[in-house]
Structures are given as structure tokens and as C-alpha cells.
Amino acid sequence: MQLTDFFESLWTGYVAVTPQAAVIHAAFTGRGETVVNDHVAFRTFDQPPLSMACLEPHLLALGYRRHAPYEFPLKRLRACAYVHPAEGAPRVFLSELISAECSTSLQRLVARICASTDAGLPASAALFCVGRPWPAVTWEEYLQLRAESEYAAWVAALGLRANHFTVSVNALRGFESVREVVDFVAGLGFRINEDGGRIKGGPEVLLEQAATLADQLPIGFAAGEEHVIPTCYYEFARRYPDADGHLYQGFVAASADRIFTSTRAAG
Ligand code: NI
């Protein structure tokens, strides 16, 4: 799979459940901007065939290399960032739920999902765009997961797809700061993630980020049920040069921890 095909497939699957991203993207291009992706993020479970260990080889085959690991102990997640040598290629942020740290009932449900994901999965990076290749969980199971881990509920319902795309604020010509971008996006009528403040991080940690709140769409559950749940959100990131003058390539765990809540159900 070619890198451009990979991101086109991801984008198509992403905007199908994130209509706000298409509107915001069009609003940027309407102002003459070329939208460059800073990174694309994925969520998964830590059991084969869905674990990071199973997914990573497909990223490496695309030319990505490991950049740095991250840990989110409160959310029981581990993650890794990947970078690509091609100019302008988006970074990839891949995370997984550490199921052994969760309740027995959650572990059982995750094990069932992974066991019912059969061998017909694509043996390429197309795996990242496959959606939910396991039978739909029931609405009750979704709610049970969500009570313990919003992240687990999101993966169970939506599967393998881009959790968010991220606009590179550095690459925008008409916006000086993440705050200006956030004001612009809020002005289009979209809600911004306020967890820990609208702007996460800043020049002091070499990365400044903000995100919308996820769209809410009807999604299929077992027994033909449909329920409106949070899908995906759009993120905005500005990177700063380090002491050597190199643009920071990593992520900031404290900021990402707050951005994870963009898919939290409306209270
Ligand atoms: Ni992100």
C-alpha cells in the first residue's frame, strides 16, 4: 500500500463518521490554505490480532519508524509515536488499552471481540481503515465498557479507523496561533474540547494543541439497534523548534491525556 492511498482511505473513512472535519477542512481551503496533517491517531485493544504489536509491522512496511513511547497510567493506555522520512508525511500516534489493568468483565469482552475478529483481515496497512471487523456489541455492553473506559467503548463500537486527523498550524499561512485557529473553528459553530483549557501545552513543551469535541452519530449495535454516540474529532497542533533549532517531533503526554476526552459522551 502506498502512503498517499493509505491516507486517502483513512480520510474517507474518517469524514464518513466525522462530518465536521470535512466542513472545517473546506473552510480552511476556502481561505486559500493548503491543509497539512500533523498526525493521525489510532486506538486499539492489546490482544491479537488487534494489538499494537500486530499493527505496527504494517506501519513499518509503509516506511514509518518508531519515534517514542508514551504512557497514560490513569487511562490504562500505552502508545507509540511513529515518524516517516518523506517530507510532509503525517506522524502516526498509535495507542492501545492495557486490558490486564481493567476489570474481569471488561477483559472478557475485549477477549471475545479479539477472538471473533477472524483471519480475513487485510495483511497490510489497510487494516487501519477496516472499521469494526467483529460482530457488533450490544448497547448494554457498550454502556458497561463506557462506564469503565470511554476508550474501550469507542474501540468496541467504531473499530480500527483514524480516531482523529490533526491540522498542522505551522503549515497554515493565515493563522499565527492555535488560539486563532480555535476561534475560527468555534466561529464555524463547532464545540471545542475545554478539558484542562482550550489550548493544551505551549511553547514551553514545544507542542501546542487543541481539539474539537467529537461528532455524535447513530452507530449500529447488536440486534439491529442504533444509538447516537461520539465518533471522531479534529485536532490542531503547532510545533516549536527545540534548543538545536529542530522542530519538535514528539508528543506531550499531559496534553494528549486531555485530548483523549474529546470522544467523551455529552454530559
Ligand atoms: Ni492527536
Side-chain angles (χ1 to χ4, degrees):
M1 199 173 197
Q2 298 292 314
L3 205 56
T4 48
D5 298 335
F6 178 55
F7 284 104
E8 271 180 28
S9 297
L10 284 173
W11 178 258
T12 302
Y14 169 69
V15 292
V17 296
T18 324
Q20 58 166 288
V23 176
I24 296 166
H25 188 280
F28 282 126
T29 55
R31 287 177 47 127
E33 299 284 0
T34 301
V35 176
V36 173
N37 294 313
D38 178 272
H39 67 272
V40 177
F42 301 93
R43 298 177 173 188
T44 193
F45 294 129
D46 65 348
Q47 309 290 318
L50 306 170
S51 63
M52 282 173 64
C54 296
L55 294 171
E56 182 183 72
H58 303 305
L59 287 178
L60 303 181
L62 280 177
Y64 277 93
R65 62 172 178 78
R66 278 190 201 175
H67 180 71
Y70 298 92
E71 288 188 9
F72 303 91
L74 290 177
K75 293 193 170 61
R76 292 164 289 189
L77 306 175
R78 67 171 72 86
C80 187
Y82 300 85
V83 293
H84 197 283
E87 177 82 25
R91 298 157 193 83
V92 166
F93 187 82
L94 176 57
S95 62
E96 70 182 4
L97 182 73
I98 305 168
S99 53
E101 294 179 11
C102 301
S103 70
T104 312
S105 61
L106 185 146
Q107 288 185 44
R108 222 178 275 137
L109 195 42
V110 167
R112 191 190 82 204
I113 286 172
C114 294
S116 61
T117 301
D118 63 22
L121 292 175
S124 73
L127 186 52
F128 287 86
C129 321
V130 84
R132 178 177 54 73
W134 52 84
V137 297
T138 67
W139 176 238
E140 290 69 27
E141 286 168 338
Y142 173 83
L143 293 178
Q144 183 196 330
L145 287 174
R146 193 163 83 182
E148 181 172 350
S149 165
E150 183 281 313
Y151 180 105
W154 188 94
V155 177
L158 290 155
L160 290 175
R161 58 173 66 250
N163 170 265
H164 60 272
F165 272 71
T166 308
V167 175
S168 166
V169 175
N170 299 67
L172 296 174
R173 290 173 307 170
F175 295 86
E176 288 296 313
S177 65
V178 174
R179 187 164 297 284
E180 277 181 32
V181 170
V182 162
D183 290 346
F184 176 66
V185 171
L188 298 171
F190 297 106
R191 292 166 65 204
I192 306 298
N193 175 328
E194 310 271 357
D195 190 11
R198 285 189 157 191
I199 310 294
K200 287 96 164 104
E204 69 284 0
V205 291
L206 307 180
L207 178 62
E208 194 166 49
Q209 293 163 276
T212 62
L213 288 183
D215 274 312
Q216 309 256 342
L217 261 69
I219 296 295
F221 288 89
E225 287 188 36
E226 267 194 357
H227 293 276
V228 174
I229 61 166
T231 55
C232 307
Y233 57 93
Y234 214 4
E235 188 181 313
F236 315 97
R238 180 179 177 188
R239 293 178 182 275
Y240 291 86
D242 62 20
D244 297 328
H246 301 297
L247 204 61
Y248 181 64
Q249 296 298 314
F251 289 84
V252 176
S255 301
D257 206 45
R258 300 292 195 170
I259 290 176
F260 275 121
T261 65
S262 292
T263 52
R264 189 176 284 171

